[in-house]
């Protein structure tokens, strides 16, 4: 149960770390599963096997560490792993998202692993999530982010700009900042003036270290990104992107669009089995699969 202070903090800043969410047993199982899938690689799945929706190097180098700094992205790991399917229903995550959004009915838009390998891990440029998800509106989802290694400045933890979720859609500006990749330069966002009426108006990026086992939440309009990982440690993490019952299908494109089973304008709540409902009336739903 979040405190009123935590909910206020999330509303003010657009992000919140609530501390420990997963125990050692859960962490061990999830880490084993993540490593199993990472070891398979993007081409290691048989056609008949359950597999994620996407498995790719965001840097486009296909693991060519000499020329490009890889960030391995896996979308909908939950479709390839029962352990990660159960994670989406985790009562600590679901109850927190219920409190942070104020909605009783919640479902998953998709999940997303980002793995930055040791010494060579690439950057995830500054962005807002919601404008990159044009298939759904309004731009109000909230994500739970969970690392499987302590995420610190040295291995590419996320950075966020407090209050930026109240500055509207600024993706065009953020896309001009893609040159910011390395840790020392990552904070140098320049050439933007926050709206005069905003609650927080200082453009001050802050590092958001998150320990293995903790969960960190962010609003889908919060400015965020993560610099390169030049440390000797991996940085493995998953984000679960949750939608509320106000989410509607817009008809616009996204890799998840192919799975949406409703018509333009209809609620995503009926979008089909690729978008599991995890909370009804404020109560977390039991995962459909038994613990292995
Ligand atoms: O894992 C990261 O560094 C970035 C993740 C991200 O952009 C997100 O969860 O929205």
């Amino acid at each position: 149960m979040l405190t009123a202070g935590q909910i206020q903090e999330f509303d003010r800043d657009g992000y919140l770390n609530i501390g420990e969410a997963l125990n050692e047993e859960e962490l061990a199982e999830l880490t084993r599963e993540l490593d199993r899938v990472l070891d398979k690689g993007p081409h290691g799945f048989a056609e008949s096997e359950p597999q994620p929706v996407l498995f790719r190097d965001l840097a486009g180098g296909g693991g060519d560490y000499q020329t490009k700094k890889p960030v391995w992205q896996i979308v909908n790991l939950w479709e390839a792993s029962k352990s990660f399917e159960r994670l989406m229903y985790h009562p600590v995550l679901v109850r927190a998202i219920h409190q942070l959004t104020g909605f009783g009915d919640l479902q998953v838009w998709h999940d997303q692993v980002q793995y930055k390998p040791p010494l060579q891990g690439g950057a995830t440029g500054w962005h807002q999530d919601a404008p990159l998800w044009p298939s759904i509106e309004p731009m109000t989802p909230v994500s739970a982010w969970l690392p499987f290694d302590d995420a610190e400045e040295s291995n590419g933890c996320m950075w966020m700009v407090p209050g930026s979720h109240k500055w509207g859609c600024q993706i065009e500006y953020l896309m001009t900042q893609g040159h910011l990749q390395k840790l020392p330069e990552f904070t140098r966002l320049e050439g933007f003036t926050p709206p005069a009426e905003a609650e927080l108006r200082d453009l001050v990026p802050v590092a958001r270290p998150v320990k293995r086992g903790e969960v960190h939440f962010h609003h889908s309009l919060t400015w965020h990104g993560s610099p390169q990982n030049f440390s000797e440690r991996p940085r493995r993490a998953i984000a679960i992107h949750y939608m509320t019952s106000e989410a509607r299908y817009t008809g616009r494109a996204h890799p998840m669009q192919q799975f949406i089973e409703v018509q333009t304008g209809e609620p995503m709540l009926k979008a089909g089995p690729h978008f599991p409902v995890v909370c009804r009336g404020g109560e977390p739903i039991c995962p459909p699969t038994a613990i292995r």
Side-chain angles (χ1 to χ4, degrees):
M1 182 89 176
L2 304 187
T3 64
Q6 285 175 312
I7 296 170
Q8 272 165 17
E9 189 179 324
F10 180 82
D11 181 57
R12 183 196 62 211
D13 295 340
Y15 53 77
L16 178 74
N17 183 340
I18 66 164
E20 196 177 300
L22 303 179
N23 62 35
E24 274 311 319
E25 202 182 329
E26 292 167 320
L27 280 169
E29 177 185 327
L30 290 162
T31 310
R32 207 166 44 241
E33 271 296 283
L34 176 54
D35 285 347
R36 176 183 68 81
V37 172
L38 285 171
D39 285 348
K40 271 182 183 286
H43 308 296
F45 290 87
E47 222 168 274
S48 55
E49 210 179 349
Q51 43 197 292
V53 167
L54 277 178
F55 193 152
R56 62 182 176 182
D57 175 6
L58 284 174
D64 181 356
Y65 294 2
Q66 301 306 319
T67 55
K68 302 236 168 92
K69 309 268 176 292
V71 179
W72 288 104
Q73 182 199 43
I74 303 172
V75 172
N76 273 19
L77 177 54
W78 74 264
E79 302 208 39
S81 164
K82 296 288 176 207
S83 311
F84 278 93
E85 182 179 27
R86 280 195 302 279
L87 178 64
M88 304 183 302
Y89 293 82
H90 199 297
V92 171
L93 309 187
V94 171
R95 288 211 167 91
I97 297 276
H98 161 53
Q99 285 189 271
L100 295 175
T101 60
F103 279 80
D105 292 352
L106 301 169
Q107 74 189 122
V108 172
W109 166 225
H110 60 83
D111 72 26
Q112 181 197 179
V113 166
Q114 287 199 13
Y115 165 49
K116 297 175 192 276
L119 302 171
Q120 312 279 358
T124 306
W126 282 102
H127 67 282
Q128 293 168 301
D129 293 332
L132 304 180
W133 301 336
S135 295
I136 55 168
E137 64 183 17
M139 295 196 263
T140 52
V142 172
S143 300
W145 190 88
L146 302 111
F148 298 100
D149 307 285
D150 288 352
E152 294 160 351
E153 289 187 32
S154 60
N155 65 341
C157 73
M158 284 205 284
W159 286 70
M160 306 219 163
V161 176
S164 53
H165 62 309
K166 298 191 177 168
W167 298 351
C169 174
Q170 303 297 349
I171 195 71
E172 280 185 23
Y173 161 72
L174 291 167
M175 290 294 138
T176 67
Q177 303 298 298
H179 54 284
L180 306 175
Q181 302 266 307
K182 296 195 179 107
L183 178 57
E185 69 195 17
F186 201 71
T187 58
R188 292 184 208 138
L189 287 166
E190 276 164 6
F192 181 87
T193 308
E197 68 283 3
E199 188 180 344
L200 298 184
R201 296 197 64 248
D202 290 332
L203 204 175
V204 183
V206 294
R208 301 297 298 161
V210 184
K211 292 228 171 294
R212 173 177 158 86
E214 292 181 346
V215 59
H216 185 282
F217 297 95
H218 64 272
H219 188 278
S220 62
L221 283 173
T222 303
W223 295 17
H224 64 286
S226 50
Q228 295 173 348
N229 175 16
F230 279 138
S231 78
E232 293 186 348
R233 296 188 304 114
R235 204 231 62 180
R236 294 165 293 184
I238 190 164
I240 307 172
H241 307 300
Y242 292 93
M243 312 179 263
T244 70
S245 51
E246 69 181 341
R248 290 186 174 265
Y249 176 46
T250 64
R252 291 197 288 273
H254 181 273
M256 290 304 293
Q257 185 187 27
Q258 59 188 309
F259 304 113
I260 298 176
E261 294 176 4
V262 292
Q263 301 300 311
T264 300
E266 288 186 333
M268 285 294 289
L269 268 180
K270 298 200 177 118
H274 288 270
F275 307 95
V277 175
V278 295
C279 190
R280 283 268 183 216
E283 277 307 309
I285 289 175
C286 279
T289 45
I291 293 180
R292 279 202 293 221

